[in-house]
């Protein structure tokens, strides 16, 4: 079947967001908006692979770079979860205007997974379901505890800037934004189906946070992948098979 690929641009409060829209030509159906993780981009190998599995299940995909990342606007040091949620809602606005889209799903990896969950909890009537890979549900908790990315600080007196991975720097606004977020509220607000994927060798996102979310969601399936890391670089075909199979079950196309 012929596939269509289009590079798109969406503005969110004056910030230019760049995405890649991929779908089967001349077919109406569901679309998944896909979010990358912290310091990553829409073109990361495992994100592209996840999108391939979604399209194989009959879904169009829209993967995009979030504020301060990839080809999109904004400074990395100034990005926050609130800005990422706003970016996601702007993409939903865009997708709702596409005449071939019948329903919208969200997916994300790590911080993008957390963001997808928060956006879905904020406006659940606009999101059919979630596919979250190693979602970083612990970020708000860590911000309130004063321990993020290996950097310890007084949570009541956040430094104006602090170093993070890859030689990058974050401003205090990132922590303040995270401290005000309570993931449980977003989970409780979302009634749709949820797939959680987590690598058993993930040393970034604690399994306990993901498992707690799986128990809390109203309709959720948690899949643990043996030997897989946080970056889904060891068992990518298994990841794809799990995504494809679950989505086919949701749409009644299971083989």
């Amino acid at each position: 079947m012929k596939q269509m690929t289009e590079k798109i641009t969406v503005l969110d409060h004056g910030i230019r967001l760049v995405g890649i829209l991929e779908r089967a030509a001349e077919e109406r159906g569901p679309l998944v908006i896909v979010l990358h993780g912290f310091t990553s981009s829409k073109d990361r190998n495992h994100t592209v692979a996840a999108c391939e599995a979604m399209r194989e299940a009959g879904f169009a995909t829209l993967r995009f770079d979030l504020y301060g990342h990839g080809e999109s606007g904004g400074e990395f040091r100034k990005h926050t979860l609130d800005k990422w949620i706003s970016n996601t809602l702007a993409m939903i606005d865009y997708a709702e205007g596409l005449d071939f889209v019948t329903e919208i799903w969200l997916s994300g990896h790590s911080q993008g997974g957390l963001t997808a969950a928060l956006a879905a909890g904020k406006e659940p009537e606009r999101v059919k379901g979630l596919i979250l890979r190693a979602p970083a549900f612990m970020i708000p908790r860590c911000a309130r505890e004063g321990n993020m990315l290996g950097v310890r600080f007084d949570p009541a007196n956040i430094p104006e800037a602090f170093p993070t991975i890859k030689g990058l720097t974050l401003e205090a606004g990132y922590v303040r934004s995270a401290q005000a977020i309570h993931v449980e509220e977003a989970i409780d607000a979302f009634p749709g189906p949820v797939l959680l994927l987590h690598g058993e060798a993930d040393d970034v996102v604690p399994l306990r946070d993901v498992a707690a979310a799986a128990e809390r969601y109203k309709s959720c399936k948690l899949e643990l992948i043996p030997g897989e890391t946080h970056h889904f670089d060891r068992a990518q075909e298994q990841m794809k098979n799990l995504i494809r199979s679950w989505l086919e079950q949701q749409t009644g196309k299971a083989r």
Side-chain angles (χ1 to χ4, degrees):
M1 184 178 295
K2 183 180 179 181
Q3 296 286 317
M4 295 180 64
T5 300
E6 179 183 359
K7 193 169 190 176
I8 63 100
T9 299
V10 171
L11 288 179
D12 178 28
H13 295 85
I15 297 296
R16 178 175 175 265
L17 305 175
V18 178
I20 301 295
L21 175 64
E22 296 172 282
R23 66 185 180 96
E26 300 178 359
E27 282 201 5
R28 298 187 77 244
L31 174 136
V32 188
I33 297 173
V34 182
L35 288 66
H36 61 75
F38 184 80
T39 74
S40 190
S41 78
K42 67 181 182 308
D43 299 320
R44 187 71 180 262
N45 178 272
H46 59 80
T47 293
V48 172
C51 288
E52 289 172 354
M54 294 166 193
R55 291 195 302 279
E56 289 167 1
F59 288 65
T61 60
L62 172 54
R63 52 188 166 91
F64 74 102
D65 289 325
L66 290 118
Y67 185 108
H69 289 67
E71 296 182 88
S72 291
E75 295 180 57
F76 173 87
R77 63 183 289 123
K78 295 181 180 296
H79 92 273
T80 66
L81 286 172
D82 287 330
K83 289 175 180 176
W84 275 30
I85 294 169
S86 178
N87 292 169
T88 305
L89 296 178
M91 279 294 169
I92 293 176
D93 288 342
Y94 169 80
E96 287 177 336
L98 298 173
D99 59 9
F100 70 88
V101 174
T102 57
E103 59 191 30
I104 295 170
W105 296 58
L106 292 181
S107 179
H109 172 252
S110 197
Q111 183 170 288
L114 169 62
T115 304
L118 295 174
K122 191 177 183 69
E123 299 191 12
E125 70 284 354
R126 305 175 74 191
V127 179
K128 179 72 173 180
L130 295 170
I131 308 103
L132 309 178
R133 297 182 299 119
F137 289 128
M138 78 292 181
I139 291 176
R141 171 176 57 80
C142 291
R144 288 189 285 273
E145 293 173 352
N147 182 14
M148 298 192 69
L149 300 165
V151 178
R152 294 186 177 275
F153 53 88
D154 178 356
N157 295 283
I158 307 164
E160 284 307 307
F162 58 92
T164 180
I165 60 175
K166 301 180 181 179
L168 298 167
T169 300
L170 280 173
E171 294 185 357
Y174 177 91
V175 179
R176 294 193 188 101
S177 168
Q179 286 179 335
I181 289 170
H182 294 275
V183 180
E184 298 80 8
E185 294 176 1
I187 292 174
D188 292 345
F190 188 71
V194 180
L195 174 65
L196 295 179
L197 298 178
H198 197 79
E200 291 187 349
D202 190 329
D203 60 357
V204 177
V205 171
L207 175 58
R208 67 184 178 99
D209 291 275
V210 178
E215 288 291 326
R216 194 169 186 116
Y217 270 118
K218 296 175 179 66
S219 176
C220 183
K221 184 172 186 180
L222 171 60
E223 294 280 7
L224 300 179
I225 304 177
E228 186 55 280
T229 71
H230 182 65
H231 298 291
F232 294 87
D233 52 7
R234 294 181 181 173
Q236 212 165 82
E237 283 305 312
Q238 185 175 354
M239 174 197 76
K240 291 178 65 176
N241 289 338
L242 290 169
I243 292 172
R244 185 191 310 109
S245 175
W246 185 79
L247 284 175
E248 288 174 344
Q249 290 173 12
Q250 304 312 305
T251 57
K253 296 179 180 177
R255 297 164 186 167

